[in-house]
Amino acid sequence: MEEIEWSKLLSGTDIRGTAIASQDQEINLSQEAAFAIGFSFVKWLEKDLAKKGEKMELAIGNDSRLSAGKLKLALAKGIKKAGASVYSAGLASTPAMFMSTVLEGYQYDAAIMITASHLPSDRNGFKFFKNSGGLEKEDIKAILKLAGEQGTEFFQSMPKENINLEKIDLISAYADHIKNVIRKGLNPSVNSKKPLADFKIVVDAGNGSGGFFVDQILKDLGADTKGSQFLEPDGNFPNHAPNPESKPAMKAIQKAVNQNQADLGIIFDTDVDRAAVVDSTGQEINRNKLIALAATIVLENNPGATIVTDSVTSVGLKEFIEEKLGGVHHRFKRGYKNVINEAQRLENEGISAPLAIETSGHAAFKENYFLDDGAYLVAKVLIKLANLKAESNQKIGDLISDLKEAEIKKEYRIKIKTEAFKNYGQQILTDLKEFVKKIESWQLAPKNYQGLRVNCGAKDWFLIRMSLHDPVLVLNIEADKKENLDLIIEKVNEFLGKYDKLDFQKLA
């Protein structure tokens, strides 16, 4: 077997790699790697949970990726070699796998979800959970280190034959959990048995794991779901990328809403930890609009609370949360785990922070274990949908009609051409501070938790930051007028053009 480069499998708080070979990529998330990772996860858990010598129980689930079956089998072999029991949840969602550690009747010691979220079909990966939540980056490093310490004899010990895995119907239990959440949130005047009986709701699952939401949740709650699409799991993702941030994906669900005259459209990513919605007019409620909607729902019962978001949210969103809703907007870092950890930190300091949400659609509610759960986010929207009809006949889109967004939004990704890209990128950010001081009307934002955000007048701004994982500078710009955008781009071109280790052509 080829040498495994364990450090290259680290991706934030996940493990990710190439699981199907192509002309451009060799496999690095192999069955041998999965075998060692399964074994090492159990050994790491024994120390972390102080359960050395005790028989532990783990659950494994997967999304629709083509490589899921062989990776699951290898993981399970490693888990069993380490002395733990393992159960197969089959096709599942990432949030459901976490819930397997807390739901009554399950409550396993830990769980693994086999997924690479929205990445291409040749990629795959693992997400790890205990009942306290997802693992941190340092935990993943420790597991990979343990895996790398296993010798040749260990890999040769992986059984060649298949093993039988006991199957569990976790997704049905998880669907029941979501239905209970919806029913408990309804006003007394709403029919709790069939609260969605008056609504047509269409779902786009992107051929990932989210199809269960139609048959096991919406239909049971009375909704008309005719027009839902791409519910069948297919790891080739033949219709569009399973990603609510993808423009073709969003256009697909908008088209479904309009063609079926639906009251609501729902779109999930592959493993259902992210979601977005479309209202009855076909309006996309994603990114800043999705945060505004979630904040509206949360602040009703948590007046004055803090909403934690990532770093690229708009000026208009801050005004909406603070001036319209009376909350506090805390703009933090990119990365769903970053915003979740920051909300938990604030809570530990006595500051109410019931929602951590990223513009990508990762939304974690304090009341739901601070778990980023697309189905739970949609459940909160469905509760509001049903209650609004009973209270005032308002529609979901009406709740965010006062949100003001910039007319022009741009994102650029600029590669750094040096192995020392972190130091090089940091030097650029340091130099930018001095550059900004020379430009009248430009000011650094008062709090920069990630990169540098520069205010360029009343509403216009840009943010330059390092990518979380790649040798890339990411530039986000928002402006109300084209001439304002052109001025920002002119100055940014002047600044970045000095750096010879950037793969840089003038921005347009």
Side-chain angles (χ1 to χ4, degrees), residues 17-22 24-25 27 29 65-67 116 119-124 235 237:
T18 300
I20 298 176
S22 66
D24 301 323
Q25 295 279 348
I27 292 173
L29 187 57
R65 290 174 184 275
L66 302 175
S67 56
L119 292 182
S121 58
D122 64 337
R123 306 295 297 277
N124 216 327
F237 308 129

Side-chain angles (χ1 to χ4, degrees), residues 272-292:
V272 200
D273 61 358
R274 292 189 296 134
V277 296
V278 172
D279 73 4
S280 58
T281 69
Q283 176 187 202
E284 169 187 347
I285 302 181
N286 203 8
R287 300 183 65 82
N288 287 295
K289 288 181 178 180
L290 184 65
I291 297 172

Side-chain angles (χ1 to χ4, degrees), residues 6-7 40 138-150:
W6 297 100
S7 62
S40 300
E138 292 306 311
D139 301 328
I140 304 301
K141 284 183 177 179
I143 292 165
L144 288 173
K145 183 175 183 292
L146 280 172
E149 291 170 355
Q150 309 308 315

Side-chain angles (χ1 to χ4, degrees), residues 27 50 57 129 236 318-319 331 338 475 493 506:
I27 292 173
E57 294 184 315
F129 297 99
N236 292 301
K318 186 174 185 66
E319 292 175 348
R331 188 185 288 123
N338 286 329
L475 169 64
N493 279 334
K506 283 194 172 183

Side-chain angles (χ1 to χ4, degrees), residues 155-324:
F155 290 105
Q156 291 173 344
S157 72
M158 182 172 72
K160 303 300 181 188
E161 66 278 3
N162 287 341
I163 58 174
N164 292 322
L165 290 178
E166 184 175 338
K167 295 179 181 178
I168 55 173
D169 186 14
L170 177 65
I171 205 68
S172 293
Y174 173 74
D176 289 341
H177 159 69
I178 293 295
K179 285 183 288 189
N180 287 337
V181 167
I182 293 171
R183 289 184 167 120
K184 287 178 180 177
L186 298 170
N187 288 345
S189 59
V190 178
N191 175 3
S192 61
K193 188 173 182 181
K194 299 288 183 182
L196 303 179
D198 294 331
F199 297 99
K200 172 167 274 193
I201 301 172
V202 294
V203 173
D204 184 323
N207 300 112
S209 298
F212 76 94
F213 203 89
V214 171
D215 288 331
Q216 298 196 50
I217 295 177
L218 292 176
K219 287 183 179 179
D220 199 36
L221 295 175
D224 177 355
T225 61
K226 185 179 179 182
S228 293
Q229 58 193 19
F230 316 141
L231 306 182
E232 306 80 13
D234 184 340
N236 292 301
F237 308 129
N239 295 291
H240 57 67
N243 182 4
E245 288 192 287
S246 162
K247 289 182 180 179
M250 185 52 68
K251 285 182 179 178
I253 185 61
Q254 288 176 299
K255 182 179 179 181
V257 167
N258 290 329
Q259 284 184 339
N260 293 281
Q261 298 182 312
D263 298 289
L264 189 74
I266 300 165
I267 184 167
F268 293 116
D269 75 341
T270 325
D271 60 322
V272 200
D273 61 358
R274 292 189 296 134
V277 296
V278 172
D279 73 4
S280 58
T281 69
Q283 176 187 202
E284 169 187 347
I285 302 181
N286 203 8
R287 300 183 65 82
N288 287 295
K289 288 181 178 180
L290 184 65
I291 297 172
L293 177 58
T296 300
I297 292 168
V298 164
L299 289 170
E300 283 183 349
N301 296 318
N302 299 274
T306 295
I307 307 299
V308 181
T309 75
D310 61 353
S311 56
V312 299
T313 48
S314 68
V315 173
L317 178 67
K318 186 174 185 66
E319 292 175 348
F320 183 83
I321 289 173
E322 298 191 345
E323 297 176 15
K324 169 76 174 178

